[in-house]
């Protein structure tokens, strides 16, 4: 429990399968899928994706690698309340979409251009909060107490949850709403020129975009739109020069 007592977690079983086409062809790819399930209904997950590569010529190639994953975990750690010595867990429903794009262009044996970019969209929705009671109990359901509707309420103004453990009408403790969306775009463009054996000039452009929102809802269109319009990108331009001196 992240610095607290150890807690038993149920075992799980995971599956993975993939199928690939002939990589010697002009267009080839790999389709993959994986899934997992925890005992005592503690967790479940699945993901699917593929890699598709096209080589229209010996000097150029492009690879696309999209994927989508969805998972649920009933005992996700949330926070620790030191004054009341409470470890708070919850169920988390998670969705992640990503797609890598990779381009390679060999203009000449000494001059190449490479590009890599990846949008990453993730939504984390928390719910069904619970407090750890007996972290090493034999059955999973005996290791925690799930808050009832009368014990926990959401304070929208402060974006936090108030807990009344004894149903007295008085807040025992509060914790922040952990729901969030995180979107990110990373990219690198590299031009490499080896103007003499062992001596190379690199020109690099790197761009990062980030967007954070304290909600757990997921919408592909809205997440992409906010990622590219809500915040300004962070750009880095680099020049690297190496020169090999011949010593006899």
């Amino acid at each position: 429990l992240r610095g607290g007592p150890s807690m038993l977690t149920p075992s799980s079983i995971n599956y993975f399968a993939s199928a690939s086409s002939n990589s010697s062809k002009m267009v080839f790819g790999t389709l993959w899928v994986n899934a997992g399930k925890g005992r005592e209904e503690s967790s479940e997950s699945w993901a699917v994706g593929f890699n598709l590569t096209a080589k229209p010529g010996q000097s150029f190639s492009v690879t696309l690698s999209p994927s989508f994953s969805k998972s649920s975990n009933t005992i996700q750690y949330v926070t620790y309340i030191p004054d009341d010595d409470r470890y708070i867990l919850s169920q988390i429903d998670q969705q992640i979409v990503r797609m890598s794009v990779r381009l390679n262009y060999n203009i000449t044996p000494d001059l190449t251009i490479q590009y890599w970019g990846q949008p990453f969209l993730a939504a984390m929705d928390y719910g069904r909060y619970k407090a750890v009671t007996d972290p090493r109990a034999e059955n999973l359901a005996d290791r925690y107490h799930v808050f009832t509707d009368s014990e926990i309420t959401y304070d929208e103004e402060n974006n936090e949850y108030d807990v009344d453990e004894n149903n007295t009408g008085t807040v025992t403790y509060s914790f922040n709403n952990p729901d969030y969306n995180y979107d990110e775009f990373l990219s690198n463009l590299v031009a490499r020129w080896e103007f003499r054996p062992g001596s190379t000039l690199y020109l690099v452009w790197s761009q990062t975009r980030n967007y954070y929102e304290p909600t757990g809802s997921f919408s592909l269109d809205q997440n992409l739109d906010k990622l590219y319009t809500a915040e300004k990108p962070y750009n880095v331009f680099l020049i690297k020069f190496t020169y090999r001196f011949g010593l006899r």
Side-chain angles (χ1 to χ4, degrees), residues 180-193:
Y180 72 95
N181 282 11
Y182 181 73
D183 305 325
E184 183 180 59
F185 175 74
L186 304 175
S187 68
N188 291 289
L189 178 65
V190 180
R192 174 185 174 276
W193 177 35

Side-chain angles (χ1 to χ4, degrees), residues 19-81:
S20 301
S21 61
N22 190 341
S23 60
S24 65
K25 301 295 184 179
M26 182 180 297
V27 178
F28 61 92
T30 299
L31 174 66
W32 58 267
V33 61
N34 64 52
K37 190 171 182 62
R39 294 187 61 188
E40 301 182 76
E41 305 296 328
S42 60
S43 64
E44 60 180 4
S45 64
W46 61 270
V48 62
F50 65 86
N51 304 319
L52 182 65
T53 300
K55 295 182 177 180
Q58 293 184 348
S59 61
F60 180 77
S61 67
V62 56
T63 300
L64 302 177
S65 303
S67 67
F68 175 75
S69 65
K70 190 172 184 179
S71 63
S72 178
N73 181 8
T74 62
I75 50 174
Q76 171 66 38
Y77 178 90
V78 175
T79 190
Y80 172 62
I81 312 296

Side-chain angles (χ1 to χ4, degrees), residues 8-229:
L8 291 174
T9 56
S11 59
S12 62
I13 186 169
N14 298 277
Y15 309 88
F16 179 84
S18 66
S20 301
S21 61
N22 190 341
S23 60
S24 65
K25 301 295 184 179
M26 182 180 297
V27 178
F28 61 92
T30 299
L31 174 66
W32 58 267
V33 61
N34 64 52
K37 190 171 182 62
R39 294 187 61 188
E40 301 182 76
E41 305 296 328
S42 60
S43 64
E44 60 180 4
S45 64
W46 61 270
V48 62
F50 65 86
N51 304 319
L52 182 65
T53 300
K55 295 182 177 180
Q58 293 184 348
S59 61
F60 180 77
S61 67
V62 56
T63 300
L64 302 177
S65 303
S67 67
F68 175 75
S69 65
K70 190 172 184 179
S71 63
S72 178
N73 181 8
T74 62
I75 50 174
Q76 171 66 38
Y77 178 90
V78 175
T79 190
Y80 172 62
I81 312 296
D83 292 341
D84 296 270
D85 192 28
R86 290 290 187 272
Y87 291 89
I88 307 301
L89 309 178
S90 81
Q91 176 170 318
I92 180 174
D93 296 316
Q94 176 179 281
Q95 297 181 74
I96 296 176
V97 174
R98 73 184 80 190
M99 186 179 77
S100 295
V101 179
R102 189 179 299 275
L103 304 173
N104 293 285
Y105 183 31
N106 299 327
I107 301 174
T108 69
D110 302 323
L111 180 61
T112 61
I113 296 178
Q114 295 178 319
Y115 173 80
W116 175 83
Q118 183 189 72
F120 174 89
L121 312 174
M124 315 296 177
D125 185 19
Y126 291 73
R128 202 167 181 265
Y129 295 95
K130 58 207 69 164
V132 177
T133 53
D134 186 357
R136 301 187 69 81
E138 181 177 356
N139 298 318
L140 176 62
D142 296 330
R143 296 171 202 160
Y144 52 75
H145 166 69
V146 180
F147 296 128
T148 64
D149 291 341
S150 62
E151 292 175 322
I152 187 169
T153 56
Y154 175 58
D155 181 353
E156 185 175 0
E157 181 178 354
N158 297 309
N159 194 31
E160 66 180 20
Y161 286 92
D162 298 328
V163 178
D164 177 10
E165 283 194 345
N166 302 314
N167 284 311
T168 60
T170 302
V171 176
T172 310
Y173 52 82
S174 303
F175 58 89
N176 293 329
N177 178 11
D179 290 347
Y180 72 95
N181 282 11
Y182 181 73
D183 305 325
E184 183 180 59
F185 175 74
L186 304 175
S187 68
N188 291 289
L189 178 65
V190 180
R192 174 185 174 276
W193 177 35
E194 188 173 4
F195 54 90
R196 58 173 293 176
S199 300
T200 310
L201 175 67
Y202 296 89
L203 302 178
V204 181
W205 171 34
S206 177
Q207 183 181 94
T208 301
R209 291 177 179 267
N210 293 292
Y211 178 74
Y212 172 84
E213 187 176 58
T215 66
S217 60
F218 182 82
S219 170
L220 182 60
D221 292 341
Q222 293 182 7
N223 284 36
L224 281 174
D225 179 66
K226 292 177 180 179
L227 175 61
Y228 289 99
T229 60

